[in-house]
Amino acid sequence: KLKRNLGIVAEDTKDDAVLTDMLDDAKSDLLTWTNRAELPAGLLSTQRQIVVIRYNMLGIEGQTTHSVGGISRSFEDLPESIKTIIIGHRISKLTKMVKANEI
């Protein structure tokens, strides 16, 4: 699904290692942001969306505005729609501590 979202044919394997690393990094970030140990199925598409955004920003990291020939582009870290999904999957640190003590 990730390759399809990026317009990469499945047989093209030259970026597979980079894409795998980016999926791992996005998963790690999502686990941190949501205070979870396991990634819920409901965040798998969000993980892919984050990788698509980050992949498309390779080489222009940190750029917030770019203008060439009258065309201007601005980038934000994560769109609000993705942030809303992540917030909806967050568990509080207190809840995490209570669950850990139940073991």
Side-chain angles (χ1 to χ4, degrees):
K1 287 183 178 181
L2 177 59
K3 283 185 170 184
R4 250 191 331 264
N5 290 159
L6 291 169
I8 300 171
V9 293
E11 297 77 23
D12 184 350
T13 59
K14 73 178 180 348
D15 287 338
D16 281 4
V18 170
L19 294 175
T20 299
D21 289 346
M22 293 179 87
L23 280 167
D24 291 343
D25 290 346
K27 179 180 179 179
S28 178
D29 289 343
L30 284 166
L31 292 175
T32 299
W33 296 333
T34 59
N35 296 314
R36 294 179 177 269
E38 298 292 326
L39 192 67
L43 285 177
L44 292 176
S45 64
T46 303
Q47 179 188 19
R48 277 192 311 276
Q49 290 172 354
I50 291 170
V51 173
V52 168
I53 290 167
R54 290 178 177 176
Y55 184 86
N56 287 327
M57 292 180 70
L58 286 175
I60 56 170
E61 295 89 343
Q63 185 178 63
T64 57
T65 304
H66 178 78
S67 183
V68 174
I71 298 172
S72 181
R73 295 183 295 179
S74 297
F75 303 98
E76 57 184 279
D77 185 32
L78 289 177
E80 287 301 317
S81 59
I82 292 177
K83 290 179 185 178
T84 301
I85 293 168
I86 294 168
I87 290 168
H89 283 84
R90 286 189 75 186
I91 58 174
S92 72
K93 290 184 180 186
L94 179 60
T95 302
K96 186 176 179 179
M97 288 172 31
V98 169
K99 285 183 180 184
N101 289 331
E102 292 176 351
I103 297 174

